[in-house]
Amino acid sequence: MAGNRRADRRNGGEASPIRLIAVAVILIGLVLVSLRLLPGSPFESSAAAKWGDTDASTSDRPTGAGTDRSARQPSSPSPSPSPSLEPLPFVAKDLKLDIEGWYSWSVLDRRTGKIIGSKNMGETSTTASMIKAWIVADYLRRAADAGQTPSDAKLADATRIIRDSDNTRAEQFYNQVDRDASIKRLISMCKLTDSSVAPDGGWSRTALSPRDTARMGNCIVTGTAAGPKWTKWLLNEMKQVRGAGDFGIRKAFPASEQKKIAIKNGWIDRTKEQEMHINCLAIGDTWTMGVMVKYPINMGYDYGMKNCEKITEALLRPGT
């Protein structure tokens, strides 16, 4: 009998029940494995991603409101050039003007700190009333540092010093800021390189160069000179200079621009030197400027006042 059963299996006879069950189990197992690997199937395995299914981890399907695909798939932006600054209203050039005597000029770009000017912009002249802008600034800053507020009368005096160039009140303020000690503070605080205290200690003969004049203007507009409390007030007063002191640099600009420019000028006849000394300081939105002229005393004030304007006009960029 046993021999007959072995013969049946060799000759393709009917399979046993155990054998059929085994085959069925194998087939069911294959179906289940196929369903686990089929994307979207309820039997899909979460392990698929771990086994290399990268689509599962980089899907573009939204993950919430406001999803920024560019944030998840950043690209390397191409470098863009830095925006260039607007040019100053001045063009650096060597001037050959028909002006009697000595003249010099300098412009400081407030955005970069760069200074341009004539070859002799480091030479000095006596400031005359131009230095009053610093004297008032020094007084106001020191008062604020001491916790004091100047009286209305004192502020009215400061206004007269700036707008009308009042000499008597300027001398009073100069005494209150310790005279030449104030000029030493100017040189130190504003980082001047060419200037010096007057031999007699007076404010009028303080020696400043056009380059240091532009630096002093920058020292005022940045708040170093008058301090944060009084800088805006001082600049407003300098924009309202009137009468004999309203000449020079800002007169070279269109009328609509002139009242936006803060100024303080100086003018004096030096009998010892037999010279007129005319000095101009101006503060614009992006620049500060100093112009100085010296010439024979018999030529009068008006000649130098007009030459401050003439020098500025020659430096202005076309279309300004």
Side-chain angles (χ1 to χ4, degrees):
M1 294 293 291
N4 291 335
R5 284 197 295 269
R6 283 194 295 272
D8 289 342
R9 284 194 292 270
R10 284 195 302 268
N11 296 324
E14 183 179 357
S16 69
I18 294 174
R19 189 175 171 190
L20 291 173
I21 292 170
V23 170
V25 170
I26 292 171
L27 290 174
I28 291 170
L30 290 173
V31 170
L32 289 175
V33 170
S34 298
L35 288 173
R36 285 169 62 83
L37 297 175
L38 181 66
S41 165
F43 298 96
E44 181 182 5
S45 171
S46 60
K50 284 195 287 185
W51 294 342
D53 186 358
T54 56
D55 287 341
S57 61
T58 60
S59 171
D60 282 337
R61 287 174 291 182
T63 58
T67 300
D68 185 356
R69 288 185 60 186
S70 64
R72 288 183 285 109
Q73 296 177 339
S75 59
S76 299
S78 57
S80 56
S82 300
S84 59
L85 296 174
E86 288 291 323
L88 292 176
F90 308 98
V91 178
K93 63 175 75 172
D94 289 330
L95 299 181
K96 299 188 182 301
L97 303 176
D98 184 19
I99 293 178
E100 185 78 19
W102 173 91
Y103 64 90
S104 179
W105 65 273
S106 183
V107 172
L108 184 149
D109 188 333
R110 290 177 47 207
R111 302 162 301 179
T112 65
K114 182 180 179 181
I115 296 176
I116 59 173
S118 55
K119 292 179 180 178
N120 60 351
M121 65 178 172
E123 295 180 19
T124 63
S125 184
T126 63
T127 62
S129 293
M130 187 175 70
I131 199 64
K132 292 172 183 174
W134 166 260
I135 294 172
V136 170
D138 197 31
Y139 168 81
L140 293 171
R141 187 196 68 260
R142 284 161 58 84
D145 288 349
Q148 301 169 354
T149 299
S151 65
D152 290 344
K154 272 294 181 184
L155 290 177
D157 285 345
T159 290
R160 291 285 298 277
I161 294 170
I162 298 298
R163 296 192 193 184
D164 303 315
S165 208
D166 188 291
N167 287 336
T168 300
R169 289 173 172 83
E171 185 68 20
Q172 292 169 355
F173 271 54
Y174 192 55
N175 287 330
Q176 288 185 272
V177 294
D178 299 329
R179 300 187 65 81
D180 60 356
S182 177
I183 306 304
K184 292 175 183 176
R185 285 193 293 273
L186 163 66
I187 294 170
S188 173
M189 292 177 64
C190 299
K191 296 179 171 55
L192 309 188
T193 59
D194 314 315
S195 305
S196 60
V197 175
D200 63 1
W203 53 264
S204 177
R205 279 193 173 271
T206 300
L208 234 64
S209 66
R211 176 167 56 194
D212 278 352
T213 298
R215 287 170 173 154
M216 182 175 74
N218 190 56
C219 193
I220 290 171
V221 72
T222 59
T224 300
K229 184 175 181 179
W230 291 105
T231 294
K232 184 177 180 180
W233 184 91
L234 177 58
L235 287 170
N236 182 63
E237 294 301 308
M238 293 174 69
K239 290 175 183 177
Q240 299 186 66
V241 169
R242 59 199 174 192
D246 186 11
F247 65 87
I249 294 170
R250 75 176 176 188
K251 293 294 185 180
F253 286 79
S256 60
E257 295 293 317
Q258 290 181 19
K259 288 303 180 181
K260 300 176 184 178
I261 299 173
I263 65 168
K264 190 69 190 89
N265 299 320
W267 60 104
I268 193 167
D269 53 335
R270 295 293 185 198
T271 54
K272 179 181 178 181
E273 293 90 345
Q274 284 296 292
E275 291 176 338
M276 301 296 297
H277 290 191
I278 310 295
N279 311 299
C280 300
L281 164 66
I283 301 172
D285 288 340
T286 58
W287 53 270
T288 61
M289 184 176 191
V291 178
M292 291 181 157
V293 296
K294 292 186 286 190
Y295 54 91
I297 196 170
N298 61 354
M299 298 182 73
Y301 290 111
D302 194 54
Y303 181 77
M305 292 174 173
K306 288 183 176 178
N307 279 333
C308 263
E309 180 180 350
K310 182 178 181 179
I311 290 166
T312 307
E313 285 178 344
L315 294 167
L316 284 180
R317 188 177 299 278
T320 298

